[in-house]
Amino acid sequence: MNRADFVEGLRGGSAVALASAPFGALFGALAVENGMSLSEAAFMSATVYAGASQMVGIELFGHNVHAWLIVLSILAVNFRHVLYSAALARYIGHFTPVQKFFTFFLLVDPQFAEAVKRAETGRQLAFAWYFGFAIIIYIPWVLISVAGGMLGGFIGDPKAIGLDILLPAYFLGIVLGFSKRDNFLPVALVSAVASVFAYRYVGSPWHVSLGAAAGIVLAAVLPLPPQEPDLEADALQSEMHEV
């Protein structure tokens, strides 16, 4: 791997690792509170590796819900990762099969957002950068989950100190990062309204996937924005024609 790309990825991911630390600690504290051991909490963070899904899972664990329903609920929350993978696939065609395995395993919301932004600015999406960005988030996430489980008793009720608002605020920040895209406002608005209705009439966690599906459908039927003319390509074609 290219060392410069790897170091650049580490630097970019370190800010995300720092921002996600409260979520990891909160998960560890709630996991132990709901009857999980430290090793079980660490194993879940290392394998599921998705903050929102882990929160849903431990909440259901604490209510003695059937295992199949827990798995189905986690899949409902994580369904957006299928869409992430499809959108990212065109940028990683040069990755090896092993690299693609780690790419999709380590694919989380900020990873997807930064990877797409990097690719759309014309910079090559190198695996060294991607892996550096991902690993600096992944390892602290697992370790901080354990620390949260060990020190969870000092946190008390997360809602009493406002920690329950961190996850929605975090996702809102990621969404607003794409606000300059065409058709952003109608797609985001339809997704939000559909999610609220789904939460009211279907329930959690299905409102996440249903809201996303509504936004996808609208984005698919909206007309594509007009393409700006490529002046450089036109000039080159004109020169070739004259020759």
Side-chain angles (χ1 to χ4, degrees), residues 14 41 104 207 214:
S14 59
F104 293 130
H207 67 292

Side-chain angles (χ1 to χ4, degrees), residues 7-9 17 29-30 37 55 68 79 109 117-118 120 125-126 151 158 166 176 206:
V7 173
E8 183 183 356
L30 293 177
S37 65
M55 297 293 187
W68 67 268
F79 181 76
D109 301 282
K117 288 178 182 178
R118 183 180 179 89
E120 288 184 344
L125 189 59
L151 304 175
L166 289 178
L176 291 178
W206 301 102

Side-chain angles (χ1 to χ4, degrees), residues 127-229:
F127 179 74
W129 173 87
Y130 188 98
F131 188 72
F133 193 100
I135 204 67
I136 198 64
I137 303 172
Y138 176 75
I139 293 177
W141 174 262
V142 178
L143 296 178
I144 292 173
S145 296
V146 176
M150 296 173 62
L151 304 175
F154 296 99
I155 298 178
D157 183 8
K159 295 182 179 180
I161 55 178
L163 287 181
D164 58 317
I165 198 63
L166 289 178
L167 193 62
Y170 166 72
F171 278 108
L172 182 61
I174 292 178
V175 171
L176 291 178
F178 292 90
S179 59
K180 294 183 180 180
R181 287 195 169 197
D182 296 299
N183 298 327
F184 168 82
L185 187 58
V187 171
L189 184 60
V190 166
S191 295
V193 172
S195 181
V196 170
F197 272 89
Y199 183 82
R200 174 66 176 83
Y201 296 104
V202 180
S204 177
W206 301 102
H207 67 292
V208 176
S209 295
L210 291 175
I216 292 169
V217 170
L218 179 62
V221 300
L222 285 174
L224 292 174
Q227 298 292 327
E228 296 183 0

Side-chain angles (χ1 to χ4, degrees), residues 30-107:
L30 293 177
V32 172
E33 183 180 333
N34 281 274
M36 295 181 71
S37 65
L38 287 176
S39 60
E40 289 171 338
F43 182 74
M44 189 174 186
S45 283
T47 53
V48 178
Y49 186 46
S53 300
Q54 291 177 219
M55 297 293 187
V56 170
I58 58 173
E59 183 177 347
L60 295 177
F61 284 145
H63 291 83
N64 296 319
V65 178
H66 291 294
W68 67 268
L69 184 58
I70 296 175
V71 172
L72 193 62
S73 299
I74 291 176
L75 286 175
V77 177
N78 268 4
F79 181 76
R80 69 188 187 282
H81 288 203
V82 177
L83 308 176
Y84 289 168
S85 301
L88 198 62
R90 58 178 172 169
Y91 301 122
I92 62 171
H94 57 288
F95 286 10
T96 67
V98 174
Q99 290 174 339
K100 289 180 180 178
F101 169 81
F102 285 105
T103 296
F104 293 130
F105 174 75
L106 297 169
L107 182 59

